[in-house]
Amino acid sequence: NELLTPEENLIAREHYGLDKAPNFEGKSWHLHAAVAIDDLGGGMSPVDARDTLESARAKLLATRDTRVWPGRDEKVLTSWNGLMIKAMATASRALNRPDLTASAEASARFIRESLWKDGRLLASHKNGHSRFTAYLDDYAFMAEGLLELLRCRWKTADLVFACKLVDVLLERFEAPEGGFFFTADDHETLIHRPKPFSDEATPAGNGVITVVLLRLGHLLGETRYIEAAHRTLRAAWPAICDHPHAHGTLLSALRNVLEEPETIVIRGKPDAMARWVHYVNAGYNPRRVAFAIPIDAPDLPGALAVREPREKVAAYVCRGMTCDPPVTSLEELAHTLGSNTAG
């Protein structure tokens, strides 16, 4: 009331819900967009209402800036960045948003440059310093994020980095009976070394790494990754049976064992592959994972080395560890995938 003109006050109160009953414990207000700007009253046009609201916001912010701001947690967490890389890449692919791929790439680059030291991950970065030995979630979430990013655009270095993360887990985190401890074997000694299988506020690291192991194993033809995934599922089986609702990520991994996943590798020039990529990613296909690899991609590891480019775009379709001959037309691909049209 003291800061704003009558017109600004009217528009601000209506927009933020201050003209209604208090919405927090009946005594105060949490400001929220109660009325859309284009629907504001006051006898103003939408353009005038928007300008008036912006004027009010500027005055309120200037006064707010004279007070101490709430503290903000500035640290960068490897595990949470891994989750965000996956989310950005998934959204980019679904919404055709290259800017989201760029955001995911920037995060992945920062993690590799700032939190990957001497062949091991670190868990946290702040004020130019990285520290704390990384945990299972850091490795698992980052590896999954990198795999999702590879589905948006191909960089062999990201695949190699994902494999390095997985190999550290197999060497330093895996339990003899299967499954992965939350801490490495050279971590500080704790009273208890947990091996979490259930999902909490974030997915279970054991569930995420099992999904990653299966996808990498089928992509590269690497049986030791698939065998490690099976060991994890066997170790977690009693817990899954007792509380299936608490083990959604591991159940997703189990589905990829019971129903063989479909892995598609497309080789060709980027422009020529675009229609193919659109086709294989169309619709909801949770068992399908597709990667478009340019013809000039260097040093492809494992089974990818034999997915050679041809004169035209070629697609290699594998179900589990069984692969079909390459196809060089969308019609052939549609037939191979069990569809009637190439879209």
Side-chain angles (χ1 to χ4, degrees):
N1 293 339
E2 296 175 0
L3 295 171
L4 306 182
T5 68
E7 293 80 8
E8 292 169 342
N9 199 345
L10 176 65
I11 291 297
R13 289 172 64 84
E14 183 180 3
H15 178 63
Y16 291 116
L18 293 172
D19 60 344
K20 298 179 175 59
N23 61 2
F24 180 69
E25 298 182 350
K27 299 178 181 179
S28 59
W29 287 263
H30 277 316
L31 301 188
H32 65 290
V35 178
I37 294 176
D38 290 343
D39 297 329
L40 292 174
M44 298 183 185
S45 69
V47 172
D48 289 340
R50 187 180 298 273
D51 291 342
T52 302
L53 181 63
E54 287 305 312
S55 175
R57 284 167 52 86
K59 292 179 180 179
L60 295 171
L61 180 60
T63 298
R64 176 63 185 83
D65 281 342
T66 65
R67 298 164 52 196
V68 176
W69 281 82
R72 190 173 74 169
D73 189 344
E74 298 284 351
K75 66 179 177 289
V76 174
L77 296 177
T78 301
S79 60
W80 288 10
N81 271 268
L83 291 173
M84 185 53 71
I85 290 168
K86 176 188 176 183
M88 288 284 187
T90 302
S92 177
R93 193 172 63 253
L95 303 174
N96 191 26
R97 289 276 303 275
D99 59 313
L100 299 183
T101 296
S103 175
E105 283 188 301
S107 176
R109 183 168 55 252
F110 179 87
I111 296 297
R112 184 165 187 174
E113 292 175 354
S114 301
L115 289 125
W116 177 250
K117 305 293 183 182
D118 301 322
R120 301 287 289 275
L121 270 180
L122 296 172
S124 179
H125 179 93
K126 184 181 179 184
N127 297 332
H129 300 286
S130 300
R131 57 179 183 163
F132 303 129
T133 303
Y135 303 93
L136 166 63
D137 288 0
D138 299 298
Y139 286 91
F141 295 173
M142 272 303 302
E144 186 177 42
L146 290 168
L147 280 180
E148 288 298 324
L149 187 53
L150 285 168
R151 296 176 67 183
C152 295
R153 58 92 187 105
W154 185 265
K155 285 188 179 179
T156 304
D158 284 346
L159 175 64
V160 173
F161 187 28
C163 290
K164 288 180 179 179
L165 297 176
V166 169
D167 289 341
V168 172
L169 285 179
L170 291 174
E171 179 183 357
R172 295 289 188 175
F173 288 76
E174 190 179 17
E177 68 278 10
F180 295 85
F181 291 109
F182 192 67
T183 56
D185 58 4
D186 56 354
H187 196 88
E188 63 179 291
T189 302
L190 303 174
I191 296 175
H192 173 61
R193 191 183 180 198
K195 187 169 62 174
F197 290 127
S198 61
D199 298 324
E200 304 290 346
T202 56
N206 267 286
V208 171
I209 194 56
T210 302
V211 172
V212 170
L213 286 165
L214 289 169
R215 287 186 175 175
L216 271 179
H218 289 115
L219 178 64
L220 300 176
E222 183 58 79
T223 57
R224 67 188 180 95
Y225 288 166
I226 296 174
E227 290 166 357
H230 290 178
R231 289 194 297 270
T232 302
L233 287 169
R234 284 194 293 268
W237 186 244
I240 294 174
C241 291
D242 289 343
H243 303 285
H245 57 281
H247 298 83
T249 310
L250 278 165
L251 287 173
S252 294
L254 178 62
R255 180 179 182 178
N256 284 328
V257 173
L258 300 178
E259 302 176 7
E260 290 184 323
E262 192 172 68
T263 305
I264 303 173
V265 173
I266 304 171
R267 300 298 311 272
K269 296 180 179 179
D271 291 344
M273 290 191 293
R275 188 173 172 224
W276 293 60
V277 172
H278 175 76
Y279 173 69
V280 298
N281 285 328
Y284 178 63
N285 299 289
R287 291 172 48 235
R288 178 179 299 172
V289 182
F291 301 91
I293 305 179
I295 58 175
D296 58 351
D299 305 323
L300 296 177
L304 288 178
V306 300
R307 309 284 189 259
E308 297 177 346
R310 302 188 169 226
E311 293 184 4
K312 301 190 296 183
V313 177
Y316 297 81
V317 180
C318 299
R319 295 176 180 83
M321 299 296 281
T322 302
C323 299
D324 294 327
V327 296
T328 55
S329 73
L330 270 177
E331 289 71 21
E332 288 181 275
L333 179 60
H335 178 75
T336 299
L337 298 179
S339 176
N340 293 323
T341 66

